[in-house]
Amino acid sequence: ARSGTGAAVESLVAIFGFRWAYLGQTYLASSIEGIPSKNLKQRDIFAINKNGKILQRVWNAGPIPNGNGTWKNWIEHHPAPSSSGPETHPDISFSPKPVLLNGDNIQLFSLGPNSNLITANVTSGAPQTFLSLDGNLTSEPSPVSTNGVKMDVFARGSDRALWWIHFEGANG
């Protein structure tokens, strides 16, 4: 019999059935960021693939009481261009950081190709557009939303100081 940490892990596996599961994508170029939906029946995870594109995978919970769920296939996002000048295929530098807005809308933030902050709204499984929020940043952004409408994003600038941008809604 094992003792210490090994025994504790074996107990968790035995009691709760914890097991790793392969979710695909053999080459992820970033860490994974996740966010639950407001109703807790869905989880979205985001990463970057070797081509610098945002990947999303969605888990949908099954019916209560057992809650067994299923993972949808990976989605590779290709943002559409817009007249306001978004990044059409940004070279993402860090994992997109998700923030939950107004229920189940997810706003993504990342560092763009020119060290600028970029953002995209995920509605219906794909970003609508990537918008540049400017900046000369040297760290990944840290977005926060306290009420689902107002958002604050923090990042380190090229001057090594802390910078902050605040806006309301998906488009600032």
Side-chain angles (χ1 to χ4, degrees), residues 34-97:
I35 191 167
S37 68
K38 186 175 182 179
N39 64 19
L40 301 180
K41 292 184 179 180
Q42 178 176 312
R43 275 99 173 133
D44 292 80
I45 59 171
F46 299 91
I48 298 171
N49 70 8
K50 64 183 176 182
N51 299 319
K53 302 295 183 274
I54 292 175
L55 298 174
Q56 179 183 11
R57 190 132 193 212
V58 178
W59 181 81
N60 288 315
I64 305 298
N66 67 11
N68 291 334
T70 58
W71 284 100
K72 292 183 178 181
N73 291 330
W74 284 99
I75 300 166
E76 185 176 296
H77 294 300
H78 297 281
S82 82
S83 59
S84 62
E87 308 293 334
T88 55
H89 291 282
D91 198 10
I92 306 291
S93 300
F94 291 100
S95 276
K97 304 295 182 190

Side-chain angles (χ1 to χ4, degrees), residues 18-151:
F18 291 150
R19 295 275 186 246
W20 283 99
Y22 178 75
L23 295 179
Q25 282 297 328
T26 57
Y27 186 87
L28 296 176
S30 71
S31 59
I32 308 299
E33 297 291 334
I35 191 167
S37 68
K38 186 175 182 179
N39 64 19
L40 301 180
K41 292 184 179 180
Q42 178 176 312
R43 275 99 173 133
D44 292 80
I45 59 171
F46 299 91
I48 298 171
N49 70 8
K50 64 183 176 182
N51 299 319
K53 302 295 183 274
I54 292 175
L55 298 174
Q56 179 183 11
R57 190 132 193 212
V58 178
W59 181 81
N60 288 315
I64 305 298
N66 67 11
N68 291 334
T70 58
W71 284 100
K72 292 183 178 181
N73 291 330
W74 284 99
I75 300 166
E76 185 176 296
H77 294 300
H78 297 281
S82 82
S83 59
S84 62
E87 308 293 334
T88 55
H89 291 282
D91 198 10
I92 306 291
S93 300
F94 291 100
S95 276
K97 304 295 182 190
V99 173
L100 194 61
L101 298 173
N102 297 327
D104 292 328
N105 290 320
I106 300 171
Q107 192 76 23
L108 298 177
F109 294 91
S110 189
L111 193 60
N114 299 318
S115 299
N116 57 326
L117 180 65
I118 59 172
T119 185
N121 186 275
V122 178
T123 312
S124 314
Q128 297 171 351
T129 57
F130 276 95
L131 299 173
S132 175
L133 300 177
D134 295 325
N136 191 9
L137 308 175
T138 60
S139 73
E140 59 189 324
S142 181
V144 179
S145 176
T146 55
N147 65 3
V149 177
K150 297 178 181 180
M151 287 184 283

